[in-house]
Amino acid sequence: MLHLLFLHYVGSEQDAGPFIEGHVAYLERHHHDGTFLVSGQTVPTAIGGAIIAHGVDRRTIEHITQQDPFVIHGVAKYTITTITPGRVHAALADVLSS
């Protein structure tokens, strides 16, 4: 199961400024534990960011997104789209099977 997480700023991108350090630590923690496969800013950056997550169920990923300092401080919110991959590129097969 994969989760596509879309982070949307509630206000301006500048409102998130004071919480960037905590947000980066949050991303690093979940990349390190293997839940987040990819994360990055959208283009343009003023919209927010996106994350591809795997290895946890929908309820767990909802809980994880609520721990983001951007969400805790009310400067951003997530929308989550959960998918069950039907076709997977060979380069990703081992990663997604773990």
Side-chain angles (χ1 to χ4, degrees), residues 71-89:
V71 173
I72 291 169
H73 295 284
V75 297
K77 63 182 180 177
Y78 281 94
T79 57
I80 303 169
T81 302
T82 299
I83 64 171
T84 302
R87 291 172 192 82
V88 176
H89 189 282

Side-chain angles (χ1 to χ4, degrees), residues 3 11 22 31 33 35 50-51 58 69 71 74 92 94:
H3 307 283
H31 273 286
D33 73 15
T35 304
I51 299 168
R58 173 70 182 229
V71 173
L92 296 175
D94 286 341

Side-chain angles (χ1 to χ4, degrees), residues 33-92:
D33 73 15
T35 304
F36 291 175
L37 298 176
V38 176
S39 63
Q41 291 182 302
T42 57
V43 178
T45 61
I47 296 169
I51 299 168
I52 299 173
H54 86 116
V56 297
D57 61 23
R58 173 70 182 229
R59 186 177 182 150
T60 301
I61 205 64
E62 288 171 352
H63 178 73
I64 288 171
T65 60
Q66 295 305 306
Q67 297 172 356
D68 186 333
F70 283 177
V71 173
I72 291 169
H73 295 284
V75 297
K77 63 182 180 177
Y78 281 94
T79 57
I80 303 169
T81 302
T82 299
I83 64 171
T84 302
R87 291 172 192 82
V88 176
H89 189 282
L92 296 175

